[in-house]
Amino acid sequence: MNPILLPLTQAASASSEDGTWFNNTIIHDLLGTSIFETLAMTFVSGALTIVFGLLLGLALVNTGQRGQRPNPPLYWVLSQIVNIGRSMPFIILIIALISVTRLIVGSSTGWQAVCVPLTIGAIPFYARLVETAINDVDRGKVEAALMMGASDRQIIWGVLVREALPILIQSGTVTIITLLGYSAMAGAVGGGGLGDLAITYGHNSNMVDVVVITVVIIAVIVGIIQLIGDMLSRLVDHR
């Protein structure tokens, strides 16, 4: 353990042993920073995932059998990339991308570093959700747009994405919540955030109050994300 944090940990352990729950120096001094790191990991990687995942999903749709530019070989390549990306366990992905992470952010630890494997791991997941949502759009609306002389770009963004937007938002909500869970897992490899707090102090130092409060906070964050996602989905649903 870091010798600088050793007195802090010993004092917190003494508080836990005295039975004074939540009157814990670890919670007072590190909880705010841990919440910030978790939110930063989740929403930075979430924003990047939604942007690049949407583009990859649209590429899958456009090159698929029902797309505007069917291209079976390219679709097969993209689909295999998505399948491999989705099948990779996150903890292994963090280790496999250490060199890439260090190249991009200059370090392999900390919340900024975790954003790299989080984003790379989540893009294929969201891309497949995008493909499914877009393919569920009524093809009659696409045919009507074609008859009116709409371009490929207008069909993709003005018809397909617009009609699938409520589902895309719901899928984005699921993806961000998944990223929140992965960010907690990243604490096992020095990623920071609430997961790191729960593992380092809650589990390793036997501070049950730290574990309880981190679990409660993560549950609250999940609930808020789901609430916002549901509200946005209903707001753009004009069916």
Side-chain angles (χ1 to χ4, degrees), residues 194-208:
L194 291 169
D196 194 9
L197 186 70
I199 293 170
T200 302
Y201 299 102
H203 179 266
N204 295 344
S205 299
N206 197 30
M207 298 179 188
V208 180

Side-chain angles (χ1 to χ4, degrees), residues 4-216:
I4 297 176
L5 296 177
L6 186 57
L8 188 62
T9 304
Q10 290 173 340
S13 297
S15 297
S16 296
E17 290 172 0
D18 290 341
T20 312
W21 271 39
F22 307 119
N23 187 21
N24 188 325
T25 53
I26 293 296
I27 294 175
H28 294 166
D29 296 344
L30 300 181
L31 184 61
T33 300
S34 298
I35 293 173
F36 166 77
E37 290 174 344
T38 292
L39 293 176
M41 279 187 279
T42 301
F43 289 106
V44 169
S45 58
L48 293 172
T49 294
I50 288 173
V51 171
F52 291 106
L54 177 62
L55 295 177
L56 179 56
L58 292 174
L60 286 167
V61 171
N62 206 37
T63 57
Q65 291 183 351
R66 302 173 63 186
Q68 303 305 114
R69 294 288 183 269
N71 188 329
L74 179 57
Y75 176 82
W76 184 87
V77 171
L78 293 176
S79 185
Q80 295 309 307
I81 291 173
V82 168
N83 290 340
I84 292 171
R86 292 174 65 199
S87 66
M88 186 72 68
F90 178 64
I91 197 71
I92 295 176
L93 191 64
I94 293 178
I95 298 170
L97 293 175
I98 285 177
S99 298
V100 176
T101 300
R102 191 177 289 117
L103 179 65
I104 294 174
V105 301
S107 173
S108 59
T109 59
W111 73 264
Q112 297 93 334
V114 172
C115 286
V116 176
L118 276 175
T119 302
I120 293 175
I123 285 174
F125 176 79
Y126 186 62
R128 191 64 82 187
L129 295 177
V130 169
E131 181 188 18
T132 301
I134 296 293
N135 282 334
D136 285 341
V137 173
D138 184 3
R139 304 310 296 178
K141 296 181 178 180
V142 176
E143 293 171 1
L146 286 171
M147 291 177 63
M148 295 174 64
S151 65
D152 289 351
R153 183 176 180 180
Q154 289 172 328
I155 290 173
I156 290 173
W157 295 102
V159 179
L160 296 175
V161 172
R162 185 174 182 275
E163 291 297 320
L165 193 55
I167 305 300
L168 293 177
I169 291 175
Q170 292 174 6
S171 299
T173 302
V174 171
T175 301
I176 291 174
I177 290 174
T178 301
L179 286 169
L180 178 63
Y182 283 167
S183 73
M185 191 188 307
V189 289
L194 291 169
D196 194 9
L197 186 70
I199 293 170
T200 302
Y201 299 102
H203 179 266
N204 295 344
S205 299
N206 197 30
M207 298 179 188
V208 180
D209 50 347
V210 173
V211 175
V212 170
I213 199 167
T214 53
V215 170
V216 170

